[in-house]
Amino acid sequence: MHRTIVPHPGRAPARWEEVVDPARTKSIDGVGRMTGMGTDISGFIEYRMPQDEQEPAWYSAHDLSSLNDVRNYDAFGCLFGVRNYANFRPVAAGRGFPADASAAVSARFGRLTEWYGEDGFHGTTWITWAEVKAVDWDELAERPDSRLHAYRPTPSGLRMTGKASWSGAFAEAVGLEPGEVREWPEGSEWLVGDTLYRSVTICRRDAVTETGEWQPVWDAMNALADRHGDDNVRLVVWFDD
């Protein structure tokens, strides 16, 4: 029989040290890319500079895939509102493809649209380096993560094993019907067998870590901004399933 613990939301967390093993959190709704499954990001970094007697124009600088090709739904949701299971207020969602995009990026996006159709992509948007710099990385998501965080006890403490959008064992333990979705109060915990499920609200820093896959992107944008200005560097992105 499963032993289920449902503490008051204000209860202190279990007295195990939380140890997150990135190699064990890679899944279609966590961190890590799996070819042919889920949603992936594409895009380009652009910079803007003046032309002789003309309006400043945008130029392509870096293909995003050369800097970051990791599928991380927490980051997608935090920054762009795509696969936003963690329930962030997105920084730059739904702006569409910029009308003044550089010639190279416009041509690339146009070719892809011809090949895959207008429905082949979604979530197209852009964000400037000035906006990235203004982000409060300690800001919490607006609600707890829609996916319960799953942990296993080890001799060195709790080890995160993933984020469960659905678990048959958990559903049976708490009486969920197949496909039923509920929102759980922050801090609620259930021990089912040897797995601890916990409702957690994460912050932006958890989704886009200081040393994670987005750091090369930020470094490239920052280097361009040193020359052209924070408002004259942007990242244009789109998503495909």
Side-chain angles (χ1 to χ4, degrees):
M1 177 179 296
H2 297 301
R3 183 163 65 93
T4 307
I5 300 176
V6 186
H8 186 277
R11 168 185 167 171
R15 294 185 179 181
W16 282 310
E17 179 187 1
E18 180 175 322
V19 181
V20 178
D21 180 358
R24 299 187 64 185
T25 62
K26 295 183 178 180
S27 66
I28 61 172
D29 56 0
V31 178
R33 191 166 192 149
M34 293 184 181
T35 303
M37 299 176 64
T39 297
D40 292 317
I41 189 172
S42 301
F44 284 84
I45 295 175
E46 298 182 312
Y47 64 94
R48 181 170 53 187
M49 59 184 299
Q51 299 185 102
D52 293 339
E53 299 180 358
Q54 297 182 26
E55 289 293 319
W58 288 94
Y59 297 88
S60 173
H62 297 284
D63 187 327
L64 179 62
S65 65
S66 67
L67 301 170
N68 174 16
D69 65 352
V70 176
R71 177 186 292 166
N72 183 338
Y73 289 168
D74 288 343
F76 294 176
C78 170
L79 296 171
F80 309 115
V82 172
R83 296 278 189 169
N84 192 13
Y85 302 125
N87 297 309
F88 285 105
R89 178 183 60 82
V91 178
R95 294 175 172 177
F97 190 78
D100 59 352
S102 63
V105 174
S106 295
R108 175 68 176 275
F109 190 76
R111 286 195 301 271
L112 293 173
T113 301
E114 288 180 4
W115 293 340
Y116 300 106
E118 294 184 358
D119 295 332
F121 303 95
H122 62 91
T124 306
T125 191
W126 52 270
I127 185 171
T128 66
W129 179 238
E131 291 175 306
V132 173
K133 288 180 65 175
V135 171
D136 176 6
W137 297 108
D138 293 318
E139 181 183 357
L140 289 170
E142 295 181 309
R143 303 190 308 281
D145 198 327
S146 299
R147 303 149 301 175
L148 293 174
H149 294 204
Y151 305 87
R152 292 285 180 90
T154 74
S156 59
L158 270 185
R159 184 176 297 275
M160 186 173 180
T161 59
K163 298 186 179 186
S165 55
W166 179 260
S167 163
F170 174 79
E172 180 183 353
V174 300
L176 283 180
E177 297 296 327
E180 181 182 355
V181 177
R182 294 184 195 173
E183 290 191 2
W184 307 102
E186 161 73 21
S188 298
E189 292 180 351
W190 301 262
L191 184 61
V192 181
D194 59 354
T195 299
L196 179 75
Y197 295 93
R198 179 183 293 161
S199 178
V200 178
T201 302
I202 69 173
C203 70
R204 296 192 188 278
R205 193 181 304 280
D206 298 322
V208 184
T209 62
E210 293 181 357
T211 59
E213 70 275 3
W214 282 89
Q215 194 56 51
V217 182
W218 304 152
D219 288 345
M221 295 181 75
N222 185 49
L224 287 166
D226 285 342
R227 177 177 298 182
H228 303 289
D230 294 349
D231 289 313
N232 293 320
V233 176
R234 71 185 176 192
L235 173 64
V236 181
V237 299
W238 55 89
F239 298 83
D240 64 275
D241 297 329

